[in-house]
């Protein structure tokens, strides 16, 4: 009986591993700011990895796409000084940067998410909006890229995602693939980095003028098109909840079939 139970448990683990190899897992998420709660001037890292960020300058909580969001009007949310959250990105050679944003005004380059390596060559990873309201980004090195086939508008919510793996950088807007540009690099093995939400290089460069930002997520994984769309529709918490439910259903189903 004990042997049968052990074999049953092993079979369930095999099903778990095979069925969900390509699904988004909790461990893929390095940083997650839901912006649902502001504790003094600190936003907790909802990934559980301890990468808490500080609000500096003008900012307040408002209604967002999922519960609350941060309205920045001269302020920035920053993870500083640098820490080692970036290490898995260099090791895996993959990254996804995701956020919702809503611009009330825009005239210059506006940074949504920026990852900066102290002492690096600047602008390792950025998602931005250029002065022409086009997607603008850097994906592993300071080689600015943009797409001319999509135009952001004021007073509209957008789900903006960069997926990069060194070979190229792909842009998704509102769950749809918009375009890509070649990068052809190998990600360095970074040891430390900072994060700026609402700025595009330093806390004082390329700041959003008046914008709302929600659901900022950084993954050490290149999300698929399906995963990007699921995250847009369900939010991070929703995706993880569905994955957990599916895993439980598959494992329980196999257990029942084995008896």
């Amino acid at each position: 009986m004990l042997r049968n139970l052990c074999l049953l448990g092993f079979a369930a683990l095999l099903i778990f591993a095979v069925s969900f190899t390509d699904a988004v897992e909790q461990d893929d998420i390095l940083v997650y700011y839901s912006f649902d709660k502001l504790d003094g001037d600190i936003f907790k890292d909802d990934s559980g990895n301890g990468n808490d960020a500080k609000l500096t300058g003008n900012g307040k909580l408002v209604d967002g796409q999922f519960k609350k969001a941060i309205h920045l009007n001269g302020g920035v949310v920053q993870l500083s000084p640098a820490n080692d959250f970036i290490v898995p990105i260099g090791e895996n050679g993959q990254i996804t940067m995701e956020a919702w944003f809503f611009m009330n005004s825009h005239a210059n380059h506006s940074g949504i998410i920026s990852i900066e390596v102290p002492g690096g060559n600047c602008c390792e990873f950025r998602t931005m909006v250029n002065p022409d309201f086009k997607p603008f980004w850097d994906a592993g090195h300071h080689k600015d890229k943009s797409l001319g086939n999509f135009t952001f508008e004021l007073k509209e919510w957008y789900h903006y995602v960069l997926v990069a793996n060194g070979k190229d950088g792909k842009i998704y807007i509102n769950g749809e693939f918009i375009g890509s540009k070649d990068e052809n690099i190998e990600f360095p093995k970074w040891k430390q980095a900072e994060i700026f939400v609402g700025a595009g290089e330093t806390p004082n460069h390329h700041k959003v003028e008046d914008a709302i930002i929600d659901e900022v997520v950084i993954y050490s994984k290149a999300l698929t098109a399906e995963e990007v769309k699921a995250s847009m529709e369900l939010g991070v918490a929703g995706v993880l909840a569905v994955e957990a439910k599916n895993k439980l259903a598959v494992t329980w189903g196999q257990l029942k079939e084995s008896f």
Side-chain angles (χ1 to χ4, degrees), residues 127-256:
T127 50
M128 302 178 66
V129 180
N130 74 13
D132 295 323
F133 288 75
K134 306 295 186 182
F136 179 98
W137 74 94
D138 293 273
H141 52 174
H142 193 188
K143 299 292 184 181
D144 300 339
K145 304 291 172 62
S146 63
L147 291 171
N149 64 334
F150 186 89
T151 303
F152 295 109
E153 296 183 5
L154 295 179
K155 302 187 183 302
E156 294 283 348
W157 276 105
Y158 293 101
H159 185 250
Y160 186 8
V161 177
L162 165 66
V163 178
N165 58 11
K167 179 181 178 181
D168 58 23
K170 296 182 175 69
I171 297 295
Y172 295 84
I173 306 292
N174 294 344
E176 299 296 329
F177 173 68
I178 301 301
S180 65
K181 291 290 182 71
D182 292 340
E183 300 293 346
N184 297 319
I185 64 166
E186 182 176 344
F187 289 174
K189 300 297 189 291
W190 295 288
K191 300 299 183 184
Q192 292 186 317
E194 300 173 280
I195 300 171
F196 306 114
V197 176
E201 184 174 336
T202 74
N204 297 311
H205 282 78
H206 309 311
K207 296 169 71 172
V208 295
E209 296 148 42
D210 185 343
I212 303 169
I213 300 178
D214 199 6
E215 294 287 295
V216 166
V217 198
I218 299 170
Y219 307 79
S220 59
K221 173 183 178 176
L223 264 61
T224 65
E226 293 77 14
E227 289 166 343
V228 169
K229 192 159 188 175
S231 186
M232 180 193 72
E233 293 175 347
L234 301 176
V236 174
V239 168
L240 293 178
V242 168
E243 290 300 328
K245 182 179 179 181
N246 287 343
K247 290 171 185 175
L248 180 62
V250 169
T251 303
W252 178 240
Q254 181 66 15
L255 287 170
K256 291 194 295 182

